[in-house]
């Protein structure tokens, strides 16, 4: 076992222990203090008395004294591995009566002094500098001991005696370089443990003569075995293995970190074949040399499972067919070869007992087990992480595997094109893992007909075609991490109960899903770019109707992606008004609103004469506008009056009682032709005189006026072209409506003016009079020049 390995292993144990303690102490009274990797050279003094777990690993602490930990009466776990401690007196823990777990591995311990510490369950003294095994007679009292880690460079049988009567679950023994008489081959005879792990020195040729089978272990792990010298042919280690044949208790053997030749490697397999070992695992192997034709004796084996992990070979270029033949004809149930550069495997030459084959993480191609009829008992096969390319070939490979139920071909480069032909699979296949390949929509026409669990996650599927051959047995479908745009219906998968479809491109899932998929127990559809618009409401409602356990990850992984204003909003919180989602309702609403508006307008018009107000406003605005546009000097031409007023005799009562008072009270100068009469001139001349001296001309229009007076002006206006450039000067007040027919047909100008509606209408209602006068005054109110006013 390497350093990292052992550390990981220890951490795993610590973690499990912590978990265990957490469970035991339901009041949460455990108190973890982590001071690892702080460069400490002493045990810190500021530790809380409540501390139950103390981690001081990976510092430079060289000493551990009673005073350091005296106060920590609750301490249960102390980890002080990877420090510089050279000497340890176990009596320092005499006041830590709760201490159960002590890890002093990876220090520089040469010596320990003992003290009865009866409560320890875990004591790790491995990876230290002891010569003899650090076992003292007090250890014999540690009846709770479950794990004991030791290290030594000498092995004496007598060393083990004090603990011979204990039943220790696991013993880890780290061996330094041992030579000659310092190694007693029988040393392990009195070791009473279920699991024994012996770590031999690294980078040293294996020279041990230790009888590893002497212990009571059921499970044995041996790490760091190097035998590469050709002349010895690994005889020391092979000797050790051959002794295992005498031991009938041993059922698990694990070899770690082996450096040897191909030939010795096969010899090791051969030796183990004839022991009582059932489970044999070899990992991290470095192999040299070539392998010639070699016979392998498969007879009389107890072996059920062989695993070979992580093999690197210096020379992997010899003809490997022998090797493959040895492998493929193994008479065991489980065979694993992973993390090697194996690029082929041949078909067993006769009916094979293989039930479970795991060839993951190799370089196998589509030709593996081509037309192989001897794997008819095989139930599970993993070809994960290889170099498989065409799905159709793999389907064909399974054809003869009549018992194959589970096939893992994930993490290859598999694709399928319908033009390649018709796919056929063994009908026994129930679980198929096709994840992490480059499969597209067409994969749905190349699937085993009775598949129950199908993993297609991380492929390139955009659509599940509706016309696929129905997969009636399919219960679990994983299509996460594809590019699907829609939720599928369950028309073709009538038994579907689990659907995983998160991380796709589904923006508008259909609400019919739950109707179509009656048997669904679980759907995971989060992390899709949901488009939060009207269409989604039904889907959200339909989720609300199913039980919350059915929708995995709801509500947290279901978020709006679009429109921008809703981005990140949980679907659960997405609300949109029913109105904007229902076109009929929207039209009705707009219609009703329109009607109400129209009715209001009508009422306003009828009862409050809205148009009149609007016209007044209009004129007001126009007047203001004009006044601003006309240059001042033009305005201030020698006018003597603000306005000239012309009216019919019939309307004189209104003019005298309403118009004049209302204008003159604001200091507006008015020219009336009868009042400002210049003797000796005709009426028309007088009128024209008045018009010329006035800034504006006001005509009080009524049917009477039109009939009797208009003629006085027609000529003048026509002559002076007043209506074109000067109509600004005209103010028409419509005192009474003038019916069109009553205007004589030759009064074109009047007709034009009336049609343009450029007159002020005298309102009958008193309430409107104020606005009328204001408007009128505004249009004639200018400052007259001083000198013109005599
Ligand atoms: C063989 O492998 C299968 C599947 O990996 C496993 O369930 C079974 O426990 C293994 N059997 C033995 C004997 O190792
Ligand atoms: C399929 O294989 C992948 C690894 O490639 C694994 O993560 C996944 O759990 C497997 N699926 C099933 C259904 O076992």
């Amino acid at each position: 076992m390497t350093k990292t390995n052992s550390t990981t292993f220890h951490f795993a144990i610590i973690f499990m222990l912590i978990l265990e303690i957490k469970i035991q102490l339901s009041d949460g009274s455990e108190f973890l203090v982590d001071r690892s990797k702080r460069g400490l050279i002493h045990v810190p003094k500021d530790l809380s008395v409540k501390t139950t777990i103390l981690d001081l690993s990976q510092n430079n602490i060289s000493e551990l004294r009673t005073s350091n930990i005296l106060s920590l009466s609750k301490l249960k776990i102390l980890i002080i591995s990877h420090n510089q401690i050279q000497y340890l007196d176990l009596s320092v823990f005499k006041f830590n009566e709760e201490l159960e777990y002590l890890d002093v591995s990876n220090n520089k311990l040469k010596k320990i002094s003992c003290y009865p510490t009866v409560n320890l369950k875990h004591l790790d003294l491995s990876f230290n500098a002891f010569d003899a095994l650090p076992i003292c007679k007090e250890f014999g009292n540690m009846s709770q001991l479950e794990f004991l880690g030791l290290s030594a460079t000498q092995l004496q049988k007598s060393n083990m005696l004090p603990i011979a009567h204990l039943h220790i679950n696991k013993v880890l023994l780290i061996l330094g370089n041992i030579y000659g008489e310092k190694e007693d081959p029988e040393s392990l005879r009195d070791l009473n443990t279920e699991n024994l792990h012996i770590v031999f020195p690294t980078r040293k040729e294996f020279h041990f003569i230790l009888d590893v089978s002497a212990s009571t272990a059921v499970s044995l792990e041996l790490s760091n075995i190097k035998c590469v010298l050709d002349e010895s042919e690994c005889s020391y280690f092979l000797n050790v293995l051959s002794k295992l044949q005498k031991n009938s208790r041993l059922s698990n053997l694990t070899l770690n970190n082996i450096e040897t030749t191909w030939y010795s490697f096969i010899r090791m397999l051969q030796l183990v074949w004839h022991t009582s070992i059932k489970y044999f695992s070899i990992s991290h192997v470095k192999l040299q040399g070539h392998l010639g034709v070699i016979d392998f004796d498969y007879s009389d084996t107890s072996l059920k499972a062989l695993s070979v992990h992580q093999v690197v070979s210096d020379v992997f270029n010899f003809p490997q067919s022998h090797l493959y033949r040895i492998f493929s004809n193994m008479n065991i149930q489980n065979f694993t070869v992973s993390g090697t550069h194996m690029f082929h495997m041949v078909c067993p030459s006769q009916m094979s007992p293989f039930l479970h084959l795991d060839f993951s993480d190799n370089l196998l191609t589509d030709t593996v087990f081509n037309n192989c009829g001897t794997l008819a008992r095989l139930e599970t096969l993993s070809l994960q992480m290889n170099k498989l390319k065409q799905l159709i070939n793999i389907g064909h490979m399974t054809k003869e595997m009549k018992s194959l139920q589970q096939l893992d071909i994930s993490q290859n480069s598999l694709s399928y094109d319908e033009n390649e032909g018709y796919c056929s699979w063994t009908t026994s296949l129930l679980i198929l893992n096709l994840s992490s390949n480059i499969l597209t929509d067409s994969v749905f026409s190349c699937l085993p007909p009775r598949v129950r669990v199908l993993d297609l996650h991380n492929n390139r599927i955009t659509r599940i075609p509706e016309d696929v051959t129905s997969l009636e047995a399919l219960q679990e479908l994983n299509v996460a991490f594809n590019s699907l745009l829609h939720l599928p219906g369950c028309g073709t998968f009538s038994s579907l109960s689990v659907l995983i479809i998160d991380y796709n491109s589904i923006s508008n899932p259909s609400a019919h899903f739950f109707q179509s998929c009656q048997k669904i127990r679980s759907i995971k559809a989060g992390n899709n770019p949901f488009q939060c618009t009207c269409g989604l409401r039904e889907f959200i409602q339909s989720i609300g109707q199913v039980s919350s356990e059915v929708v995995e990850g709801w509500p947290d992984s279901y978020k709006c992606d679009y429109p921008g204003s809703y981005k990140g909003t949980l679907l659960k919180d997405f609300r949109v008004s029913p109105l904007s989602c229902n076109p009929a309702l929207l039209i009705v609403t707009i219609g009703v609103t329109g009607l109400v508006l129209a009715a209001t307008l009508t009422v306003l018009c009828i009862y409050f004469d809205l148009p009149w107000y609007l016209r007044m406003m209009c004129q007001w605005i126009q007047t203001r506008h004009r006044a601003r546009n006309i240059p001042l000097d033009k305005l201030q031409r020698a006018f003597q009056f603000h306005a000239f007023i012309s009216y019919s005799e019939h309307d004189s009562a209104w003019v005298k009682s309403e118009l004049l008072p209302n204008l003159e009270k604001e200091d507006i100068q008015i020219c009336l032709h009868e009042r400002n009469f210049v003797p000796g001139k005709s009426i028309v001349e007088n009128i024209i005189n008045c018009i010329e001296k006035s800034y504006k001309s006001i005509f009080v229009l009524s049917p009477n006026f039109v009939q009797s007076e208009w003629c006085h002006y027609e000529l003048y206006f026509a002559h002076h072209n007043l209506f074109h450039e000067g109509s600004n000067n005209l103010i028409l007040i419509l005192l009474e409506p003038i019916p069109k027919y009553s205007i004589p047909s030759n009064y074109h100008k009047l007709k034009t003016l009336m049609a343009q509606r450029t007159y002020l209408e005298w309102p009958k209602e008193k309430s409107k009079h104020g606005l009328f006068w204001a408007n009128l005054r505004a249009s004639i109110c200018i400052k007259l020049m001083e000198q013109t006013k005599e």
Side-chain angles (χ1 to χ4, degrees), residues 170-182:
K170 173 151 189 176
V171 172
L172 171 64
L173 178 56
I174 314 300
L175 294 183
N177 298 312
I178 296 176
Y179 291 107
E181 72 279 8
K182 290 185 173 172

Side-chain angles (χ1 to χ4, degrees), residues 10-74:
H10 291 157
F11 281 152
I13 291 201
I14 293 162
F15 181 68
M16 275 155 54
L17 235 110
I18 292 174
L19 266 187
E20 190 184 316
I21 286 169
K22 283 205 168 161
I23 292 161
Q24 282 169 2
L25 306 174
S26 52
D27 58 345
S29 62
E30 78 279 5
F31 195 88
L32 170 72
V33 177
D34 182 357
R35 299 282 171 87
S36 59
K37 300 187 204 166
R38 306 284 166 97
L40 300 174
I41 53 172
H42 298 293
V43 176
K45 296 208 162 62
D46 60 338
L47 298 170
S48 159
V49 294
K50 290 189 287 178
T51 307
T52 55
I53 303 170
L54 176 59
D55 186 353
L56 295 171
S57 61
Q58 307 190 58
N59 283 299
N60 289 313
I61 298 169
S62 56
E63 216 178 8
L64 192 61
R65 293 190 194 163
T66 315
S67 58
N68 296 148
I69 48 170
L70 174 67
S71 60
L72 308 179
S73 60
K74 300 234 167 76

Side-chain angles (χ1 to χ4, degrees), residues 279 304-305 333-334 356:
Y279 308 96
K304 289 191 159 62
Q333 293 175 2
N334 285 23
H356 307 283

